[in-house]
Amino acid sequence: MKLTKLIPASAVATLLPLVAFAQDAEVAVPGFDEIGPYIMTTLLFLIGGFLVMWMAAGFAMLEAGLVRSKNVTTQLLKNVVLFSIAAVMYWLIGYSLMYPGDAWIIPGFLGAVGSATMEPVGLAVADADLGYASVASDFFFQLMFCATTASIVSGTLAERIKIWPFFIFVVVLTGFFYPIEASWQWGGGFLSEMGFSDFAGSTLVHSAGGWAALAGALVLGPRIGKYKDGKVTAFPGSNLALATLGTFILWLGWFGFNGGSQLAAGTVGDITDVGRIFVNTNMAAAAGSIAALILTQIIYGKIDLTMVLNGALAGLVSITAEPLAPSLFMSLIIGGIGGIIVVFAVPFLDKLKIDDVVGAIPVHLLCGIWGTIAVPLTNADTSFGTQLVGIVSIGAFTFVVSLVLWLVLKAFGGIRVSEEAEITGLDKAELGMEAYPEFYKG
Amino acid sequence: MKLTKLIPASAVATLLPLVAFAQDAEVAVPGFDEIGPYIMTTLLFLIGGFLVMWMAAGFAMLEAGLVRSKNVTTQLLKNVVLFSIAAVMYWLIGYSLMYPGDAWIIPGFLGAVGSATMEPVGLAVADADLGYASVASDFFFQLMFCATTASIVSGTLAERIKIWPFFIFVVVLTGFFYPIEASWQWGGGFLSEMGFSDFAGSTLVHSAGGWAALAGALVLGPRIGKYKDGKVTAFPGSNLALATLGTFILWLGWFGFNGGSQLAAGTVGDITDVGRIFVNTNMAAAAGSIAALILTQIIYGKIDLTMVLNGALAGLVSITAEPLAPSLFMSLIIGGIGGIIVVFAVPFLDKLKIDDVVGAIPVHLLCGIWGTIAVPLTNADTSFGTQLVGIVSIGAFTFVVSLVLWLVLKAFGGIRVSEEAEITGLDKAELGMEAYPEFYKG
Amino acid sequence: MKLTKLIPASAVATLLPLVAFAQDAEVAVPGFDEIGPYIMTTLLFLIGGFLVMWMAAGFAMLEAGLVRSKNVTTQLLKNVVLFSIAAVMYWLIGYSLMYPGDAWIIPGFLGAVGSATMEPVGLAVADADLGYASVASDFFFQLMFCATTASIVSGTLAERIKIWPFFIFVVVLTGFFYPIEASWQWGGGFLSEMGFSDFAGSTLVHSAGGWAALAGALVLGPRIGKYKDGKVTAFPGSNLALATLGTFILWLGWFGFNGGSQLAAGTVGDITDVGRIFVNTNMAAAAGSIAALILTQIIYGKIDLTMVLNGALAGLVSITAEPLAPSLFMSLIIGGIGGIIVVFAVPFLDKLKIDDVVGAIPVHLLCGIWGTIAVPLTNADTSFGTQLVGIVSIGAFTFVVSLVLWLVLKAFGGIRVSEEAEITGLDKAELGMEAYPEFYKG
């Protein structure tokens, strides 16, 4: 009965014609009130998904803008390819691994892969899970989060990492590391059962990516000349217009990232929540950028554009763990603190001689932690203790397995280009193709 | 009764099972036909909003492409920060000021701010305004218009304005000037009562931004060397690829700007109107660019790409006052005239020695006026007289308060960088950070 | 009866209040279940349309990045203007020509044009085609495909073609050539009656654009110095960051291109199919890029970024003929073969001394053919024979009429710039405006 077509009850007043109509209505056509939520949520996943896909371009532009000209081609290549690898690996293994049903242990995945994660063409209403959305749309949306995790790693390790070992790392990260840790929460694993809360992935995506990047940075070491004679040398980004474009792209894509994570759009409550998430997300980004603006003016006497850009991203990461519950005022506070963290963490990392080319560790790892810790401030269903358990368990797992993998890759063939190649630039040395062959006189 | 769930009336033929079902249905679940318009309009605001948000990136790229290399970082910074400031100020003050209820006088805003403009998480159907949309989505959409107004000012004043006075101007513009004049129409103020018509803001957003920019240009004066010995010196933009990208971004975002301004998407009539608006908007942009193409070929013997780009934007601004009523043919005419206006107005401004770095005054101010005047050509409910009243009252208000603010800022600390800094470039002089450190040999 | 408002049948249990309500309900207001599909499909066209519109920016950036600095302004100009021309010509002639009703012969188009393709403002439900969508939204979506066809031609002929003859070609292509051949299939013409299948335009859009480009390349000849003394000289692209950005934009826009081509989104089956299309499209792009990555590493010993970018685009073109039926595994195969085709076809074209500046012929023409041939592999309702008929008839038509037009344009005034202008660069020689005046020392 659930799916039979509604007919006009105005017929109650005029019964006769209705009886005839009712016989037509025996054909089981669903009313839109039955299928509306399914359709709207699927649409949310598709729109949210293409917005997050667009973030891949944002990372590419941000990183291409922040590295030196001689490494731009390499950075662009890494961003296109890591997204492609994620698309294959998350399908081949990751998605099954992340949503295992009742347990998060690895299922007989390789056998099940070719078959039927996606529903048949022209899915019949009777076969659809009307309480949810299309599986393909869900897969599409979730894939983009997996790819984002890999994008985060790319920037930190720029200007010195070999291309192929990086790709191998991405294969394992998107096929195994990310899906395993994400399954602990979003796959119904132990963190979700404990009451850990990470709405759109401050910890699961951003911190995880940051931990993987940190492990890589430790194994890889800093760029030549970065820390010399106790001094930190700045290597200014080659194209701040691209870096700014990348930041705007990420800001835009984040509406899909957080808004889509409502995972429903077909009820008044859900679509209203998506609206709340949009404004909170925007406010946190604005607050992060303004915080960095004011702080760099105060501390350095000059505004630092790259700090303002990273401040906006810091605000976005910070609000990602809980973009729904906060008021606009609390979103401003949470995002603003994110901006402050970045301004202090960037020079602090340099003191530790951890060379993070684009500031991904402060933005994604540290603000991811901050955002996750801040959840109980606005969401009464959570506790600091449980949040810490989630942060630590995902952090420890991702850091350790990443570290091991980087060390293994280092042992087998190495992960760092030669000193000569690094000085020449990876574009010429590794790819034989410069990004700006007519402008740059290397 | 409005919100109780519909049940299949096919049951009229088979009454017995229905009675049982009807008892379940006593739980007040709304049919999708009740909540559909609310959901669709909220979705329209969110999609429209993120498209207009994307216009902030468009302005940033357009302006970064049209200034000289030595001022690019500054221009990028201004665009990121003005958007952030708008997000805070429009929340803190602007939105309440713009929609005051029955009168447009300033309400007791500072008290009411922290509280509840946004609806509760998981809004119950019973509490939603089902004739409208989510407040958060409306706020999100309206905020983007406020930010756009500030973006317009940024380009005109490039290459010579001090950063902090500009930011202070943006604070006041987005917190007060824009919301006050916009409330006269969109907040139900006297212009709306008179029958003034400005569908998506040719006057309220674009002309207003243009007036604020003009006031600033007059107070600030032209760039050094721009008008020397009675001659106009061209300062070619440093990156036309970015300028073109910016134009395409703005063109794309304008579908949200105009389409979203239908303010409804949940009925056949409304969604069809959104479709009309999309094609009219696109046609006006195309016509503006073609008009500038042909005119510059005829007048100068060579096509001028920046004129073609500004021609497209001119078409977009021109159709913004009434993107719904015109036929495609009339949209072509309205947009084409916009393109013509720009080709003549740019050199005319130079004759007046008003230095508008990116052509924002011709595009936004003049075509905003043209578009608003043109409304009665296609919309019979409007009159030229009333349109003029709107243009003049908003123009006079915005110009005068902007002029006063610029003069005050000039008196207290100045708004123009030193001659030396201007020649060196603002990036090095004010920020110590070049946009293209490896390409540009200043 | 179809459009009368549904009323709550919970009233079956409480009849009395319902009778009163039923009388209200006599007013013919449609239930959302009647109008939902119309609204959702219209929304699909609008979202799909703006995504495909965005592809115009993608082509502009891709081409601007792959030409030399001295020709960038010209390439940008061509891309903005061709999109504008398409908007006018497809309205003036193309759309009527493409959807002629029962026959594809040219209707009395010029008379009918000004009138009523678009529906009235505030369309009444009774007048809407509820089985479909708004005409304006359909026009908007279809227009973007017409513009894409023209975009494809632009890249191949870069760096040596005169601007105005190119624009004249675009006028005819978008007003006549594309609409005529597209009508054979999408306008209900003979190919559609034969059972030819081209879901979103591998042949109708991409191959057709490729054939027009090939004809132009043959008439125009290669750039000076490209094939000298039996050797192929590489002219590296001036800005690989822009080329990568363009590729990401195209990748994003393709979700609209293929997803929107489902032409319906208001049922469970349709929206689910759109989701399938999204993931298949993404997978094919990923596979194409990975295939080119691995192949260039193997063949040349170095990864070639432009090949990887073109590989992704090749995957996208390849899946476009049938993005719905394939499994994800088959999408990977189809897209991957596209990537392989590009890696081999680019040097092969050079052997034939066909100078295709951006690789548009391998990507759009060859992979368009491949994708169309591959349809029967996954869609049982099609046959290789019929697919070949479609490929050949559209290819022959488009190639021949394009060739004739290029030859006519060559005869009347010429289509190639002078040798001097080509060496100087089109930007300085033809437009007097460089794209990067401060970086590039020509």
Side-chain angles (χ1 to χ4, degrees):
Chain A
M1 174 151 284
K2 194 182 168 201
L3 299 175
T4 48
K5 186 165 176 57
L6 293 166
I7 62 157
S10 62
V12 172
T14 53
L15 259 177
L16 266 182
L18 187 68
V19 173
F21 189 84
Q23 286 168 335
D24 290 353
E26 297 287 330
V27 187
V29 180
F32 204 85
D33 58 327
E34 307 286 353
I35 61 172
Y38 178 95
I39 291 176
M40 295 306 295
T41 301
T42 298
L43 186 67
L44 178 74
F45 284 150
L46 297 178
I47 294 174
F50 78 62
L51 286 174
V52 184
M53 178 271 162
W54 186 222
M55 289 172 69
F59 281 107
M61 293 302 108
L62 180 68
E63 296 173 15
L66 292 182
V67 300
R68 288 167 290 177
S69 296
K70 62 184 178 183
N71 299 314
V72 170
T73 306
T74 306
Q75 208 57 25
L76 295 166
L77 175 71
K78 278 159 57 184
N79 274 280
V80 175
V81 173
L82 73 83
F83 184 79
S84 301
I85 290 174
V88 174
M89 290 307 297
Y90 193 66
W91 158 66
L92 205 58
I93 297 171
Y95 189 65
S96 310
L97 200 54
M98 186 164 155
Y99 297 105
D102 293 345
W104 61 266
I105 42 162
I106 303 182
F109 55 91
L110 275 177
V113 157
S115 62
T117 38
M118 304 303 116
E119 49 272 281
V121 173
L123 181 72
V125 169
D127 299 329
D129 178 358
L130 292 181
Y132 178 52
S134 106
V135 175
S137 69
D138 177 74
F139 171 80
F140 183 72
F141 186 66
Q142 294 301 338
L143 159 62
M144 300 309 162
F145 285 66
C146 179
T148 299
T149 310
S151 293
I152 293 164
V153 183
S154 160
T156 297
L157 310 178
E159 304 208 308
R160 60 210 192 274
I161 197 167
K162 276 188 189 172
I163 295 170
W164 283 103
F166 174 75
F167 290 157
I168 294 170
F169 186 86
V170 171
V171 165
V172 182
L173 178 71
T174 58
F176 297 92
F177 295 169
Y178 169 76
I180 287 173
E181 55 92 359
S183 79
W184 296 348
Q185 172 74 4
W186 292 340
F190 74 94
L191 287 175
S192 124
E193 280 173 23
M194 281 181 65
F196 178 64
S197 180
D198 187 7
F199 196 92
S202 279
T203 289
L204 275 69
V205 174
H206 293 279
S207 278
W211 286 113
L214 176 62
L218 292 175
V219 176
L220 200 55
R223 288 166 291 175
I224 296 169
K226 181 71 189 172
Y227 307 112
K228 225 167 74 179
D229 312 329
K231 272 178 56 181
V232 179
T233 307
F235 294 147
S238 56
N239 194 329
L240 297 189
L242 285 190
T244 304
L245 175 65
T247 303
F248 271 119
I249 293 174
L250 289 166
W251 193 324
L252 169 61
W254 229 287
F255 296 120
F257 201 92
N258 286 359
S261 293
Q262 175 72 12
L263 305 181
T267 68
V268 163
D270 284 317
I271 197 79
T272 304
D273 285 356
V274 176
R276 276 183 69 106
I277 292 167
F278 269 52
V279 292
N280 286 343
T281 299
N282 195 60
M283 180 60 87
S289 102
I290 291 174
L293 172 85
I294 294 172
L295 258 188
T296 56
Q297 175 71 49
I298 291 172
I299 297 177
Y300 303 109
K302 282 183 179 181
I303 303 166
D304 183 325
L305 173 61
T306 61
M307 283 290 191
V308 172
L309 299 180
N310 271 334
L313 299 178
L316 289 164
V317 172
S318 301
I319 201 69
T320 293
E322 182 54 77
L324 176 59
S327 65
L328 275 167
F329 177 73
M330 280 308 295
S331 300
L332 178 135
I333 298 296
I334 291 167
I337 290 176
I340 294 169
I341 288 172
V342 159
V343 172
F344 288 109
V346 167
F348 182 71
L349 272 184
D350 276 335
K351 265 193 194 143
L352 300 176
K353 299 195 180 173
I354 297 170
D355 186 10
D356 177 359
V357 177
V358 303
I361 293 170
V363 168
H364 297 278
L365 173 50
L366 297 186
C367 293
I369 292 174
W370 154 240
T372 308
I373 288 177
V375 174
L377 297 180
T378 62
N379 182 340
D381 296 337
T382 58
S383 77
F384 290 108
T386 316
Q387 294 304 94
L388 277 175
V389 171
I391 290 166
V392 169
S393 55
I394 288 179
F397 169 78
T398 312
F399 181 73
V400 169
V401 293
S402 296
L403 193 68
V404 169
L405 180 54
W406 287 123
L407 289 170
V408 168
L409 289 169
K410 189 178 180 180
F412 293 88
I415 58 172
R416 182 152 184 161
V417 300
S418 72
E419 196 169 314
E420 199 194 328
E422 188 177 336
I423 290 165
T424 307
L426 277 62
D427 293 358
K428 238 186 208 161
E430 298 259 291
L431 301 177
M433 185 177 265
E434 293 172 279
Y436 312 110
E438 300 173 44
F439 311 151
Y440 172 63
K441 314 300 171 198
Chain B
M1 174 152 286
K2 193 181 170 200
L3 299 177
T4 48
K5 187 165 173 56
L6 293 166
I7 60 154
S10 62
V12 172
T14 53
L15 260 176
L16 267 182
L18 187 69
V19 174
F21 188 83
Q23 287 169 336
D24 290 354
E26 298 287 329
V27 186
V29 180
F32 204 84
D33 59 328
E34 308 285 352
I35 62 172
Y38 177 96
I39 290 175
M40 295 306 294
T41 300
T42 298
L43 186 67
L44 178 74
F45 284 149
L46 296 179
I47 295 174
F50 77 62
L51 286 173
V52 184
M53 178 271 163
W54 186 222
M55 290 173 70
F59 281 106
M61 293 302 110
L62 180 69
E63 297 173 15
L66 292 182
V67 300
R68 289 166 290 177
S69 296
K70 63 184 177 182
N71 299 312
V72 170
T73 305
T74 307
Q75 208 57 26
L76 294 166
L77 175 73
K78 278 159 59 184
N79 274 280
V80 174
V81 172
L82 73 83
F83 185 79
S84 301
I85 291 174
V88 173
M89 290 307 297
Y90 193 67
W91 158 67
L92 205 58
I93 297 169
Y95 188 67
S96 310
L97 201 55
M98 187 164 154
Y99 297 105
D102 292 345
W104 62 265
I105 41 162
I106 303 181
F109 54 93
L110 276 177
V113 157
S115 62
T117 39
M118 303 303 117
E119 50 271 279
V121 174
L123 182 71
V125 170
D127 300 329
D129 177 358
L130 291 181
Y132 178 52
S134 106
V135 176
S137 69
D138 177 73
F139 171 80
F140 183 71
F141 185 67
Q142 294 300 338
L143 159 62
M144 300 309 163
F145 285 66
C146 180
T148 300
T149 310
S151 294
I152 293 165
V153 182
S154 159
T156 297
L157 309 178
E159 305 208 307
R160 60 210 192 275
I161 197 168
K162 278 188 187 171
I163 294 170
W164 282 102
F166 174 76
F167 290 156
I168 294 170
F169 185 85
V170 171
V171 166
V172 183
L173 178 71
T174 58
F176 298 92
F177 295 168
Y178 168 76
I180 287 173
E181 54 91 0
S183 79
W184 295 349
Q185 174 72 4
W186 292 339
F190 74 93
L191 287 175
S192 124
E193 280 173 22
M194 282 181 64
F196 178 63
S197 181
D198 187 8
F199 196 91
S202 279
T203 289
L204 275 69
V205 174
H206 295 278
S207 278
W211 286 114
L214 177 63
L218 293 174
V219 176
L220 201 54
R223 287 167 291 176
I224 295 169
K226 180 70 189 173
Y227 308 113
K228 226 167 76 179
D229 313 328
K231 273 178 56 183
V232 178
T233 308
F235 293 148
S238 55
N239 193 328
L240 297 189
L242 284 191
T244 304
L245 175 66
T247 303
F248 271 119
I249 293 174
L250 289 167
W251 194 323
L252 169 60
W254 230 287
F255 296 120
F257 201 92
N258 287 359
S261 292
Q262 176 71 11
L263 305 182
T267 70
V268 163
D270 283 317
I271 197 79
T272 304
D273 285 356
V274 176
R276 278 185 68 107
I277 292 168
F278 270 52
V279 291
N280 286 342
T281 300
N282 195 61
M283 179 60 87
S289 102
I290 291 174
L293 172 84
I294 294 172
L295 258 187
T296 56
Q297 175 71 49
I298 291 173
I299 297 177
Y300 303 110
K302 282 182 180 181
I303 303 166
D304 182 326
L305 173 61
T306 61
M307 283 291 190
V308 172
L309 300 179
N310 271 333
L313 299 178
L316 289 163
V317 172
S318 301
I319 201 67
T320 293
E322 183 52 78
L324 176 59
S327 65
L328 275 167
F329 177 73
M330 280 307 295
S331 299
L332 178 136
I333 298 295
I334 292 167
I337 291 176
I340 294 169
I341 289 171
V342 159
V343 173
F344 288 110
V346 167
F348 182 71
L349 273 184
D350 275 335
K351 264 192 194 142
L352 300 176
K353 299 193 179 174
I354 297 170
D355 187 10
D356 177 0
V357 176
V358 302
I361 292 170
V363 168
H364 298 278
L365 172 51
L366 297 186
C367 293
I369 292 174
W370 153 241
T372 309
I373 288 177
V375 173
L377 298 180
T378 62
N379 182 338
D381 296 338
T382 59
S383 77
F384 291 108
T386 317
Q387 294 304 93
L388 277 174
V389 171
I391 292 166
V392 169
S393 54
I394 287 178
F397 169 77
T398 313
F399 181 74
V400 168
V401 293
S402 297
L403 194 67
V404 169
L405 181 53
W406 288 123
L407 290 169
V408 168
L409 289 168
K410 188 176 179 180
F412 293 88
I415 59 172
R416 183 151 184 162
V417 300
S418 72
E419 197 168 314
E420 199 194 328
E422 188 177 336
I423 290 165
T424 308
L426 277 63
D427 293 359
K428 238 186 208 162
E430 297 259 292
L431 301 177
M433 184 177 265
E434 292 172 278
Y436 311 111
E438 299 174 43
F439 311 152
Y440 173 63
K441 314 299 172 200
Chain C
M1 176 153 281
K2 192 180 168 200
L3 299 175
T4 48
K5 188 167 174 55
L6 293 167
I7 61 154
S10 62
V12 172
T14 53
L15 259 177
L16 265 183
L18 186 69
V19 175
F21 189 85
Q23 287 169 335
D24 291 353
E26 297 287 330
V27 187
V29 180
F32 204 82
D33 59 329
E34 307 285 354
I35 60 172
Y38 178 96
I39 291 176
M40 295 305 294
T41 301
T42 298
L43 186 67
L44 178 74
F45 283 149
L46 296 179
I47 294 174
F50 77 62
L51 286 173
V52 184
M53 178 271 163
W54 186 222
M55 289 173 69
F59 281 106
M61 293 303 109
L62 179 68
E63 297 173 14
L66 292 181
V67 300
R68 289 167 289 177
S69 295
K70 62 183 178 183
N71 298 313
V72 169
T73 305
T74 307
Q75 208 57 26
L76 295 165
L77 176 72
K78 279 160 57 186
N79 275 280
V80 174
V81 172
L82 74 83
F83 185 78
S84 301
I85 290 174
V88 173
M89 290 306 297
Y90 193 67
W91 159 66
L92 205 59
I93 297 170
Y95 188 66
S96 310
L97 201 54
M98 186 164 155
Y99 297 105
D102 293 343
W104 61 266
I105 43 164
I106 302 180
F109 55 93
L110 276 177
V113 157
S115 63
T117 37
M118 303 304 117
E119 50 271 280
V121 174
L123 182 72
V125 168
D127 299 330
D129 178 359
L130 292 181
Y132 178 52
S134 106
V135 176
S137 69
D138 177 73
F139 171 81
F140 183 71
F141 185 65
Q142 294 299 339
L143 160 62
M144 299 310 163
F145 285 65
C146 179
T148 300
T149 311
S151 293
I152 293 164
V153 183
S154 161
T156 297
L157 310 178
E159 305 209 306
R160 59 209 192 277
I161 197 167
K162 278 188 187 172
I163 293 170
W164 282 102
F166 175 76
F167 289 157
I168 294 171
F169 185 86
V170 171
V171 165
V172 183
L173 178 71
T174 58
F176 297 92
F177 295 169
Y178 169 75
I180 287 173
E181 54 91 0
S183 79
W184 295 349
Q185 174 72 4
W186 292 340
F190 73 93
L191 287 174
S192 125
E193 281 173 20
M194 282 181 65
F196 177 65
S197 181
D198 187 7
F199 196 91
S202 279
T203 289
L204 275 70
V205 174
H206 294 280
S207 279
W211 285 113
L214 176 62
L218 293 175
V219 176
L220 201 55
R223 288 167 290 175
I224 295 168
K226 180 70 189 172
Y227 308 114
K228 226 167 74 178
D229 313 327
K231 274 179 54 183
V232 179
T233 308
F235 293 148
S238 55
N239 194 328
L240 297 190
L242 285 190
T244 304
L245 175 65
T247 303
F248 271 120
I249 293 174
L250 289 166
W251 193 324
L252 169 61
W254 230 287
F255 296 120
F257 201 92
N258 287 0
S261 292
Q262 174 72 11
L263 305 181
T267 68
V268 163
D270 284 317
I271 197 78
T272 304
D273 285 355
V274 176
R276 276 185 68 108
I277 293 167
F278 270 52
V279 291
N280 286 342
T281 299
N282 195 61
M283 180 59 87
S289 101
I290 290 174
L293 172 84
I294 294 172
L295 257 188
T296 56
Q297 175 71 50
I298 291 172
I299 297 178
Y300 303 108
K302 281 181 180 181
I303 304 166
D304 183 324
L305 172 61
T306 62
M307 283 292 191
V308 172
L309 300 180
N310 272 333
L313 299 178
L316 289 164
V317 173
S318 302
I319 201 68
T320 293
E322 183 53 79
L324 176 59
S327 65
L328 275 167
F329 176 72
M330 280 307 295
S331 300
L332 178 137
I333 298 296
I334 291 168
I337 291 176
I340 294 169
I341 289 172
V342 158
V343 172
F344 288 109
V346 167
F348 182 71
L349 272 184
D350 275 335
K351 266 194 193 142
L352 299 176
K353 299 194 179 173
I354 297 170
D355 186 12
D356 177 0
V357 177
V358 303
I361 293 170
V363 168
H364 298 277
L365 173 50
L366 297 186
C367 293
I369 292 174
W370 154 240
T372 309
I373 287 176
V375 173
L377 298 180
T378 61
N379 181 338
D381 295 337
T382 59
S383 76
F384 291 109
T386 316
Q387 294 304 94
L388 277 174
V389 171
I391 292 166
V392 169
S393 54
I394 287 178
F397 169 78
T398 312
F399 181 73
V400 169
V401 294
S402 295
L403 193 68
V404 169
L405 180 53
W406 287 123
L407 290 170
V408 169
L409 289 169
K410 188 178 181 179
F412 293 87
I415 58 172
R416 183 153 184 161
V417 299
S418 72
E419 197 168 313
E420 200 194 327
E422 189 177 335
I423 291 165
T424 307
L426 276 63
D427 293 0
K428 239 187 207 162
E430 297 259 291
L431 300 177
M433 184 177 265
E434 292 172 279
Y436 310 110
E438 299 174 45
F439 312 152
Y440 173 63
K441 314 298 173 201

